[in-house]
Amino acid sequence: MTEPSGDVLLEISDLSLEFRTYRGPIKALNGVSLNVRAGEIVGIVGESGCGKSVTMMAATRLLPKGSAHITGGGIRLFGNDPMTLSERELQHVRGRLVSTIFQEPMNALNPTRRIGEQIVEVIRRHQRLDKAAATSKASGLLRDMLISEPERIMQAYPFELSGGMRQRVLIAMAFSCEPKLIIADEPTTALDVTVQALILGLIKHKAMSTGTAVVFISHDMAVVSQLCDRLYVLYAGRVAEAGTTESVLAAPAHPYTRALIRCLPGLAPPKQPLEQIPGTLPDLLDPPAGCLFRARCREANDRCVSVPPLAAMEPARRAACWRRIEETQAA
Amino acid sequence: MAADGIVTSPRPAARLRAGRLWYRVKESPLTLVGAAIALAVLFVIMAAPLLAPYPPDKISLAARLAAPSPQHLFGTDEVGRDLFSRVLFGARASCGIAFAIVIISTFIGSIIGCLSGVVGGIVDTAIMRLMDVFLALPALILAMALAAALGPSLFNAMLAVAVVRVPAYVRLARGQTLSLRNRTYVKASRSFGASPAYMLRWHILPNALSPIIVQATLDLGGTILTAAALSFIGLGAQPPTSEWGSMVSSGRNYFLDQWWYVTFPGLAILISAMGFNLLGDGLRDMLDPRLGGR
């Protein structure tokens, strides 16, 4: 149970970030640490608003300039701090080294341009290929996405395609420049369940065959467990638990992870009402002191009024919970 | 059938754009009328020398201020020029100038607006406040002031009206840009490494265009009026150019006895302005998704 070796592509250490609004700063991230190595598939799980997307958008500097402010910690993306890169360098990093698959395939393609043009533009932006070569490359990529008539699809406008088809086109675009890292931001959330499995399979297959690392953002524990080598569970802008997928699923350490797993319909006994986690995310305008999950936690005690560190539990496994830390110390 | 679920291809494309357009147009007869008038005006502009029975500047002192008759359909003016010919040729100055104004102001306005929206910050604020200053002044007064400052001529009147019309397009284009900038496909394009110039050219401009086109068509009518008004007060076309506004202006002295002198150029202004307005209205109904279409 060791973390896969290889180059660290992305390293986020103790990152804190806030959005300055007229009501005051919203502390979206409160010390997130994570890393992604070459060729692995890493899952980031958590409910809406816990900072999954914000973390990854901060890494590629796609957050709006005016309102998002990094207040602590750092990001190393391919050895560089993205905050110090010039616009030109950023354009090189985006697409060539990192690319992103977005949540809403319906809106992620320009409605006024043909599919083929859009893919070819992305390819030619980063690679020295003439139009014919880029076109044939694009059709090969679409074929890899199990699209039977790539030439016809490339002549189509986005509105002529279904959501699943558009998402396949977008995945093809994301892989088109052979990036080292792909950020998949809930790529299946807007799709129906039958297409979901297919899309996940396509991403996984393509990533493994090209050796691309994938950061897979999802709120769905079941989806993440199918796909990922390692997991980070985020809660209210902090890492609650991190470890390999098998170990986290087999023995979740943090009460929040346990609750998430209990909420899965597939694993609950039939005809029983599904479990839910009582309460809501804490107010990030004015976060309470101590463990942020305390108010919703079944196991909370007096120690939880101070912030638990992300402590190592067993090899390659960490969790931020005083209970587990006590148990580890006792053992 | 199982393979069908996985390997999908698009439906036979519903790309009957022209057919759909016709279907929508014939639902609204007024749009059709507007389109017919617009086409007629365009035809007259191009074919004026063929249609006009006389050269527009041909003076015939024997037939001064003649009433409409088969020889002179619209009558003649105080130096015996055929008004029908002058009205036909006047379309070139009056409507031609309106087209030029709208094209210039649309072009400049949408580029400034999109840039302003993309760049943001102080540049955006400065541009928009300047536009507010323009908008705060009544359009005709500002155009008059500019035309008077530049010196009375058709070309200067055109420049003046174009400048006055720019702020409307700047605001429209900027609003579109601001809403488009947050669309997923623009973000996606950034995440694939697109440069701001590329995004402006391929993602923002094409998608911002449809309301701008509608606004431009709607503006044509108003622009014909403004240009005619400038010529009417003597700041636009200078004699002997045939232009509807200046024709109405010189005909106004004879209004009580020779009604045809002002009436026919006036009707030409009315009909062409109305035609472009009807067309613009119809286009808006068809292109604006917020109005739901029909």
Side-chain angles (χ1 to χ4, degrees), chain A residues 242-258:
Chain A
T244 59
T245 308
E246 300 85 45
S247 72
V248 171
L249 285 181
H254 197 282
Y256 179 61
T257 320
R258 294 180 181 181

Side-chain angles (χ1 to χ4, degrees), chain A residues 72-105:
Chain A
I75 304 166
R76 306 291 292 175
L77 182 64
F78 298 97
N80 298 311
D81 179 355
M83 294 304 141
T84 62
L85 292 179
S86 69
E87 179 64 31
R88 194 160 271 278
E89 290 166 323
L90 267 179
Q91 284 167 24
H92 172 76
V93 168
R94 294 180 191 146
R96 193 78 184 96
L97 298 176
V98 195
S99 63
T100 309
I101 304 169
F102 283 92
Q103 183 174 355
E104 311 122 17

Side-chain angles (χ1 to χ4, degrees), chain A residues 61-69 87, chain B residues 118-121 181 190:
Chain A
R61 222 172 97 185
L62 283 171
L63 290 171
K65 264 182 279 182
S67 60
H69 294 268
E87 179 64 31
Chain B
V118 166
V119 175
R181 209 173 55 171
R190 273 177 75 201

Side-chain angles (χ1 to χ4, degrees), chain B residues 1 18 26 37 45 60 92 152 159 183 187 192 196 201 208 210 220 234 247:
Chain B
M1 282 315 277
K26 77 176 185 217
I37 294 175
I45 287 178
S60 157
R92 292 190 156 178
L159 277 188
R183 293 287 169 85
K187 272 195 253 168
F192 292 134
R201 169 66 188 81
S210 115
L220 270 175
M247 285 160 78

Side-chain angles (χ1 to χ4, degrees), chain B residues 86-126:
Chain B
R86 286 182 69 75
V87 168
L88 290 183
F89 273 94
R92 292 190 156 178
S94 296
C95 297
I97 198 184
F99 285 126
I101 289 168
V102 167
I103 289 169
I104 294 173
S105 50
T106 307
F107 189 73
I108 297 177
S110 32
I111 287 178
I112 297 182
C114 287
L115 269 179
S116 180
V118 166
V119 175
I122 291 181
V123 180
D124 181 42
T125 312

